Structure formats: structure tokens, C-alpha cells
Amino acid sequence: MKTLLLTGFEPFLQLTVNPTMKIVEELNGLEINGHRIVGKILPVDFRASGKELLQLLEAEKPDVHISLGLAAGRYKITPERVAINVQDGDVDNKGNRPVDEVIQANGEPGYFSTLPIRKMVEKLIQNGFPAEVSNTAGTYLCNNVMYEALHYAQKSNNKLISGFIHIPASHELAIAHGKIPSWSHEDLKNSIITCIGALEHHDN
Amino acid sequence: MKTLLLTGFEPFLQLTVNPTMKIVEELNGLEINGHRIVGKILPVDFRASGKELLQLLEAEKPDVHISLGLAAGRYKITPERVAINVQDGDVDNKGNRPVDEVIQANGEPGYFSTLPIRKMVEKLIQNGFPAEVSNTAGTYLCNNVMYEALHYAQKSNNKLISGFIHIPASHELAIAHGKIPSWSHEDLKNSIITCIGALEHHDN
Amino acid sequence: MKTLLLTGFEPFLQLTVNPTMKIVEELNGLEINGHRIVGKILPVDFRASGKELLQLLEAEKPDVHISLGLAAGRYKITPERVAINVQDGDVDNKGNRPVDEVIQANGEPGYFSTLPIRKMVEKLIQNGFPAEVSNTAGTYLCNNVMYEALHYAQKSNNKLISGFIHIPASHELAIAHGKIPSWSHEDLKNSIITCIGALEHHDN
Amino acid sequence: MKTLLLTGFEPFLQLTVNPTMKIVEELNGLEINGHRIVGKILPVDFRASGKELLQLLEAEKPDVHISLGLAAGRYKITPERVAINVQDGDVDNKGNRPVDEVIQANGEPGYFSTLPIRKMVEKLIQNGFPAEVSNTAGTYLCNNVMYEALHYAQKSNNKLISGFIHIPASHELAIAHGKIPSWSHEDLKNSIITCIGALEHHDN
């Protein structure tokens, strides 16, 4: 049995719901494809989210790490290809608003996901879920935690498999906040289960 | 028990799938909210679709008529408010391509749906499906059959309740044809069941 | 010489700019294609805008009437085909927020524009401006003033040629308010001059 | 006087026009903000475009290099922040269709643009052109040539300032190919002149 650290975010800014939070809470503790899921919720805070994720990686010592984020406006499941060494964007829940800052002064410009993103996309499509590889995780919190985890994996030279998956809004979020494409919570959750099913299987 | 004529379309132009066809085939023969569903598929043909629908209205004498159409690009269930006396648009499956033509030379400029469209939208949202009233059914086949049925209802002065509902693409269609928002088939079908549930209930 | 009443709107809701206002102010008093332009600005007020427009039609007795409106999100010049007898939508500048109300209790369901909308679209494209006929002016103020003018023209049985043209946001508006397509003010103004050039020419 | 190598692309795939080609041809030979413009057109060919660009960098020895690309669907001028070591995407004009390939086996995962992209965005907005920094140049030819030039600059340890700017479709392209936002050619060309005006000025 492998350990998979799966994270979601608390609601962003003025939104009242974050579909990633609900998925993570429901999958927490389950065993899927030979992986025991440890589900955790990260804060929407440039100063804290990366730090909390690194503490979780140290504490849980997972074999695999997947962070989930909401991409309002997207209408496919999009495993991210790359994280870049930039933080920039809208204000977070604590009032931080970085402009063109580096995340890690000694980090590489970018790190590629070590998840099997192409296999995830193929498996999602086979299971009836529109999906494609995304080439940008943005420069907001999502890129930030993806970058921190991959930087940690590379610098600690460990075996951690790590990456990020963006998901569409849920119907619930679209009803509450307006003109954005959305999927049902069931579709979103089953998509993530499908992604976990694309990881290498381990029997013991 | 009331009779509800529910129509879908065969696939449009180069598309290989039409989600409305599958919904209609699956609901055909069911009894929902005191309505027996008679499901029929219309051709994508400006010269034939309206005529076939009128023949069905004459033959089945339904209490309620709902036609379903695909609105590729939309991501909500959108009951249509109005049909207009215009046919115009892309070529149909038979090669017709009308420009700014009237549908009925002696028809009104427009007819309003007589379905409970506001109640449908409210009930959809209560059931977790993003929905809104749409103010245009376009000028292609969808508007055409909606207009023909409402013109028939008005001219024959009968009690027919009639209208049109546009639905998003299905995941299956999005996977086959690309960059459009989509819902699962289950969500689409359950949304239409919800709309039927918004009709006035009749016990016998 | 013919008289053309050209109207724009004051800024909507929280927006600080309305590109139609600037166009109307700049074209006011000019003679274009045998038409003397009388430019006027309408308030964003469901209770007042239609009434003010009807007073202008009575006072100016124009041969042609064109109202302009902003369609945030569109990226083509879109002469409107039809106005419908509905007012519904977001709150206006005075706090009115009608739901599914009729505009005129004894009005037709819809009236078609009497402007040469197909010729306008062709001429716009010939002049290098993307354009298409739109089949919905919505149910907000834009549809409201279009409907009121066409209802007036039909009921007074007069010769008034009347209609509505929606335009994209200006670059200025997009810079101030965000994620919407936009054109330069020069392109927007020249497009409207092109539309006026599609009217029947009268030498004297 | 500095030398600026400015490149555009020939038309992509089924498109008949490429707005970047026209801009480059018109600016070729001009002196703008102390920079002599050397304009060149690159082929849409994964195997040739990077190679040709490197030959131009060797031959012209420019102080600054800017490649332009069309981003169909975008409606702002978007200087790119980063190029990534991936080629993947639709077939090119020669039939190549790479999947998840690296561009340079010994290259970094990503390279940041060395153009003053933040200053370019600010100056564009001051001049009335909507603009924002983009975080992805995709994985098609645009990213390819951006990556090749930045890899060359870094490996040759030279002083070359280099980067990529994506522009919206032109009105001409939108008229020919459909449902995409567009700007006038004049706006597009003046935007690029504005970007060149954001480079450090050199009097001699």
C-alpha cells in the first residue's frame, strides 16, 4: 500500500464554495488503486499554503502528492504540465498581492510534474471525462504549491511523485457565482478517482 | 394521465452524436409527473423537420410538447422564451441554406413559449442544475420547430402547451468534437426530467 | 437631406464609461450619406429611457432612428434583428429590476428592425469590420428602447425606419473593467459611420 | 543604434492570413526608439523554424530579439513570461505532430523572457491598448522559437535580450475564419511599436 497526499483549497476570495475541498474530504481515508488517501485542506494564503504543504510532505512522507485546484472558466480536467518560479496575481484571503516575485530564490525557472499526466488524460477520456494536459497553472496559489512541492522533491532528491490537477467549477459554485461552465460534484470526484487509477499500481 | 410529445434531433452537420436523441430515446414510454412521454427524433432538414413535427402533433394530440436541441457552447439548461419568424443559418443535413427567410408568411413576428419556463429554471436550480431563461433560440432548425409548433397552437386555437429547451453538449460530444463545455449524459437527462417535473401535475 | 436620430446610453451600473455615448457625441451634427445626425444620450432607467426616446421621436420627427448599445463580451458589430415584448434583467441605474414583465400590454410579441441590417453587415465586412446579424437584443434596456421605437412606428403607422445596433466594448472600457474583448474607439465610430452609409441615399 | 530582430510567422495550417507577417513586413527597415528593425518571416514547421531563427541570430547578431505570434481567441496584447522545454500539439504545415517531446535534451525546463514584459504591459495600457503578461506560450511553434532563442542566449552566455509577444487575430483574419475576437491591423501594429518603445533607449 502506498500513501497519497491529496490536497484541496479552502474557498478563494469572495467565493463561498471550493469544489476541491469537498472532493478531498470525501476521498480522505479511502484506499484507491493501492493508495491510501490522506486528504488535507490548504489555506488561500501566499505566505502559508506552501509552508503548510511542505510540513505535510515531511509529516506524512507520502509516495505520491496531488494538489487539486479550481480553474474557474475551464470545462475539462486539466493535469498541469509545469510549475514556474513566479508568484503574481489577485489578492489572496490574507491580503497578500505579490507582483512578479520569485517563489524560491535558488529554484529552477520551472519544474515538470512527475505525475503520469498523459496517461491520466487518456484514462479520463476513456472513462468519458473531457480532459487535456494544461501548460499553465497560472501564477497564483495553485502554481505556488505545485512549485514548492516539486522544488522540495528535487532538492531533497527523494522519490516523491508530485503534481497538480485543475478542475472545472462545480454546478453548486456556478449556481452561486454565475457565468462559468461547471460539472456535477459526482463527475468531478469520479474524475479524480480516475486520475488516481492512472498511477502505477502497487499490490503491497 | 397527460401525453407529452418530447422530440430530439438526429446529429447536426459533421457531428456524430446528438445528446438530445439519446435522452429522448431513454425517456420514451416513461410516465413522469403524470405525463406519458412519447419520444420522437426529428431530421436536421429545414424542409422536413417542421412538417414532421406538425404531423406528430396531429397524430399524437399531446397535451404538452417539448422539443430539445443542442446548444454547443452553452453550459446551462436554457428553456427558450421566444421563437421568431425567421430561418437563416448554416447549411442543414440536406444542403438547404436559407437567408433571412420567413417561416410562415402569415405568422406573427414571434411567439412566446407556453411552457412554465421560469418555474423550470427555478426547479432546475433547486435541484443543483445551472439554468437560465434564454432569449434566443437562434434562427436554425431549433427556432424553426419551436416556431412551427407555437404557430400551429395559436392558429388551431387549441390548448397545446408548447416550447423548446436547449441543452449543453454531452461529455461524449465534447470528447469527439473538441473545445466546448459539456455535462454528463446523466446530468442532461435528469435536467429534462426536472423540467417535466415543473409542469402542472395531473392525477388522472 | 434626411434626419437621423442616433442615440447612445450613459454608463451602465458600475461601469464608468459607455463607448456609445462618445460615438454619439462625436457624430452629433454631422451630415453622413445625406443624413443629418441628431445625437442624444438616454438614461439607464427602465422607467425613463423608452419614454425619453418616444419624446425625441415626436420632437425631432426623424426619417431614421438608430439606437446604439454596448454588448460587453461581443467582438463584432451586431445590428439587431428583432425586439421582444419583455423586460427582465439586472438592476438599472435607478434600482428597477423587472422580472418577465411586458413592455407594452397591447404590443406584439416581437417587432423586426426596419433598418437594412443585412446590407449593413455586408458593408461592414467589405470595409474590414467583423459583423453579423444578432437574433437577440436581450431583455434589458437595449431591447426596451428598440421595442418602444418599433411599437411606436407601427402603431403611429408612420414611415419611420428604426432599429438597434450593439457594439463591442472599447479598449478604454476593457482596460478599466477587465476581461472582455474590445475594439478601438476609432474602429467603433467608423463602423457606425459605415452602417449609416448602408442607409438608402437621398440627395435632397 | 541597436539592432532588433523582429520575426513573424507565415500562415498556420488552414488559415490564409497571419497578422504577424504583415506587421513584420511593414516595420522591417524602420528605426524605432533607437532600434533598427530587421524583419523576417519564419516557417510553420517544427523541424525548421527554430533552426532558421538561430541562423538569423547568428547572422544578424541583434541586440534584441522579439518573435511575434498569433493567439487566436485572445483579445489583448500578451508578452509571454516563460518558454518551456516541450513541443506538443496540432500538426504543423509540414505534417509534424510531436507529442510531449523535449526541444533541447540538455535544456532547462523553462527560460524566462528577458524582455521588459511588465514595462511593455504598462506602456501598452497607458497608450490605450489592453494588455497583460501571459504565463503560457503554449507548446506549439510559438513556444518552440521562444525557447530556442532563450536557450541559445543562455548557452552562448551572450547579451541578447529575447522574448515573444502573442497578439490577437486581425479583423481580416476574423472575417475570413470566423468566431474569434479581433483588432484592426493598425491597432496591432501600433501595439508592437509601443512594445519596442518600452525597450531601453540608446542614442547611439
Side-chain angles (χ1 to χ4, degrees), chain A residues 82-87 103 137-148 164 166:
Chain A
V82 66
I84 59 174
N85 194 4
V86 180
Q87 46 190 341
I103 296 170
T139 54
Y140 195 56
L141 267 290
C142 296
N143 175 72
N144 192 290
V145 299
M146 182 180 176
Y147 186 89
E148 289 279 25
F164 196 97
H166 266 118

Side-chain angles (χ1 to χ4, degrees), chain A residues 81-82 84-86 88 99-100 108-112 117-118 133 135-136 138-139, chain D residues 81-82 84-86 88 99-100 108-112 117-118 133 135-136 138-139:
Chain A
R81 190 192 293 275
V82 66
I84 59 174
N85 194 4
V86 180
D88 182 89
V99 177
D100 295 343
E108 300 292 324
Y111 296 111
F112 290 114
I117 58 173
R118 183 63 56 186
V133 170
N135 295 307
T136 179
T139 54
Chain D
R81 189 192 294 275
V82 66
I84 60 175
N85 193 4
V86 180
D88 181 90
V99 177
D100 295 344
E108 301 290 323
Y111 296 112
F112 289 114
I117 58 173
R118 183 62 57 186
V133 171
N135 295 307
T136 179
T139 53

Side-chain angles (χ1 to χ4, degrees), chain B residues 25-86:
Chain B
E25 288 170 352
E26 288 180 16
L27 298 187
N28 180 35
L30 298 188
E31 293 180 16
I32 304 172
N33 188 32
H35 293 74
R36 183 179 57 91
I37 312 299
V38 178
K40 299 288 181 184
I41 305 306
L42 298 174
V44 174
D45 176 353
F46 273 111
R47 303 274 175 268
S49 57
K51 204 174 298 177
E52 285 195 23
L53 177 58
L54 295 181
Q55 288 167 350
L56 288 168
L57 291 172
E58 285 289 343
E60 302 287 343
K61 305 239 175 288
D63 303 282
V64 181
H65 153 250
I66 301 176
S67 284
L68 303 180
L70 165 67
R74 290 193 192 167
Y75 41 78
K76 298 186 180 190
I77 303 293
T78 50
E80 293 294 342
R81 189 192 293 276
V82 66
I84 60 174
N85 194 3
V86 179

Side-chain angles (χ1 to χ4, degrees), chain C residues 35-56:
Chain C
H35 293 74
R36 183 179 57 89
I37 312 299
V38 178
K40 299 288 180 183
I41 305 306
L42 298 174
V44 175
D45 176 354
F46 273 110
R47 304 274 176 267
S49 58
K51 205 174 296 176
E52 285 195 23
L53 176 58
L54 295 181
Q55 287 166 350
L56 287 168

Side-chain angles (χ1 to χ4, degrees), chain A residues 1-69:
Chain A
M1 182 69 60
K2 298 278 178 172
T3 299
L4 191 165
L5 175 64
L6 183 71
T7 77
F9 279 107
E10 60 175 17
F12 278 65
L13 303 170
Q14 81 286 9
L15 305 182
T16 52
V17 182
N18 193 320
T20 64
M21 191 165 76
K22 199 167 164 189
I23 293 169
V24 166
E25 287 170 352
E26 288 180 17
L27 298 187
N28 181 35
L30 299 188
E31 293 180 14
I32 304 173
N33 187 32
H35 292 74
R36 183 179 58 90
I37 312 298
V38 177
K40 299 288 181 182
I41 306 305
L42 299 174
V44 174
D45 176 353
F46 273 110
R47 303 275 175 267
S49 57
K51 204 174 300 178
E52 285 196 22
L53 176 57
L54 295 181
Q55 287 166 351
L56 288 167
L57 292 172
E58 286 287 343
E60 304 287 342
K61 305 240 175 284
D63 303 282
V64 182
H65 152 249
I66 301 176
S67 284
L68 304 179

Side-chain angles (χ1 to χ4, degrees), chain C residues 87-145:
Chain C
Q87 46 190 341
D88 182 88
D90 277 339
V91 72
D92 68 18
N93 288 0
K94 293 294 182 184
N96 301 303
R97 201 203 172 297
V99 177
D100 295 343
E101 292 179 14
V102 296
I103 296 171
Q104 289 287 348
N106 67 336
E108 300 291 325
Y111 296 112
F112 289 114
S113 175
T114 49
L115 295 173
I117 58 173
R118 183 62 56 187
K119 197 177 156 201
M120 284 177 169
V121 165
E122 287 166 359
K123 205 162 179 120
L124 285 162
I125 289 172
Q126 281 162 20
N127 283 273
F129 297 115
E132 66 184 3
V133 171
S134 165
N135 296 307
T136 179
T139 54
Y140 195 56
L141 267 289
C142 295
N143 175 73
N144 192 290
V145 300

